Amino acid sequence: MKKVVKFGGSSLASAKQFEKVGNIIRSDEGRRYVIPSAPGKRNSGDRKVTDMLYACYALAEEGKDFRGKLAEIKARYDEIITGLSLDFSLTEDFKEIEEKFKNKAGKDYAASRGEYLNGKIMAQYLGYTFVDSASVVCFDKKGEFDAEKTNEKMSAKLSKTERAVIPGFFGAMPDGSIKTFSRGGSDITGSIVARAVKADVYENWTDVSGFMIADPRIINKPQSIEIITYTELRELAYMGASVLHEDSIFPVRKEGIPINIRNTNKPEDEGTWIVESTARKSKYTITGIAGKKGFCCVNISKDMMNSEIGFVRKVLQSFEDHDISIEHVPSGIDTMTVFVHEDDFISKEQAVVSEIHRLAKPDMLEIESDLGLIAVVGRGMKSTRGTAGRIFSALAHANVNVRMIDQGSSELNIIIGVENRDFEKAISAIYDIFVETQL
């Protein structure tokens, strides 16, 4: 069994957490490739090292004295090294970082040092080989991730390395300059490594025991999801579920490698398995519920719209011309509604409205704001009669006014639009009918 294991920032925030991680890795011989994040918060009032690095580099960019802030960051790492009783120092690394900051090496370089330094400590602690991600994770000249070149380099390097630590979150451009993924990108690095070594499992260790069916900030102690498909995860992640970076599934999906979300503080928990497909049925009809607030919609109507060739294209072009991404477009015979993010739309709304009138010449146009979208996702929905009816019955019983309904052709999800003020109430009602009462 060959396993790639990634540990999040909260799992590596202190020497005590490092020891937990060390015990987890050593308890299974198959855990051969380790991807660490930068140290996270030690407590609620603490700061993540990545945020400290950004703030420190901002001072350097402004030409201000940043050495005090850099010393605070070094103290965080020294505390971990001392707590682990390691005969090891990062003094030379911090001298290099100070010089690079003076020479304005860039925000990506600054942010990447959190994972880089934690990786060096982890390799020393475990006795594993340290592999600098800048030497094996490749971005092209445009800053786009080069998956195939990375896989080739990573495979070649790790085929000769029995056990290694590869820091997450960053790689390098063709000129050698550091480039990072978006925040949470260490998940992507773990997935890249899993593909390169053809791992049997990619374990992603964090501070929760997998995915919950609904947001625990809305539902008190929601049930966990035992197994979820890549497709279901994409739907939930897109609508706000955030345990795993949504782009991290693509490298392992190509190889059919399952992901196991585990809890560093409760290693005995099985966690959630993310797989390509499964014959195992969900415990409930739905797999999960997720959603976001802050949408608005543009309602457009025109008599005989359905017989006017190009009408929809003209409307959507008005949004495209102003760089506004569209979320959903439910439509009827003489009406269509376009859902967009409120923040993206408000500053451009009148320009978009003018263009819609000029191109499509609608009879009526109306804008509504303060809307939330909720996705109810589940592979069991298409084989269960009355799922939509149960959702809308639950919402009606909770006095929630449904503003939009959109079901995908795969029957894997149903998107519901509600007013922001009804958002939490709607999620609670749906969770209750499918999980608590199971009517």
Side-chain angles (χ1 to χ4, degrees), residues 52 112 114 322 385:
M52 295 173 73
S112 74
H322 292 87
R385 289 192 300 271

Side-chain angles (χ1 to χ4, degrees), residues 194-205:
R195 180 193 176 196
V197 302
K198 293 181 168 52
D200 297 290
V201 178
Y202 169 29
E203 292 182 345
N204 192 298
W205 293 80

Side-chain angles (χ1 to χ4, degrees), residues 383-417:
S383 58
T384 305
R385 289 192 300 271
T387 301
R390 292 161 69 192
I391 291 172
F392 301 125
S393 174
L395 294 176
H397 187 70
N399 293 316
V400 173
N401 184 27
V402 177
R403 308 301 297 273
M404 186 273 287
I405 304 163
D406 190 10
Q407 182 166 19
S409 57
S410 66
E411 299 183 59
L412 185 73
N413 70 329
I414 296 175
I415 307 291
I416 302 142

Side-chain angles (χ1 to χ4, degrees), residues 297-300 328-332 335-339 403-404:
C297 69
V298 181
N299 299 309
I300 300 152
H328 293 279
V329 190
S331 63
T335 62
M336 67 178 289
T337 301
V338 182
F339 276 80
R403 308 301 297 273
M404 186 273 287

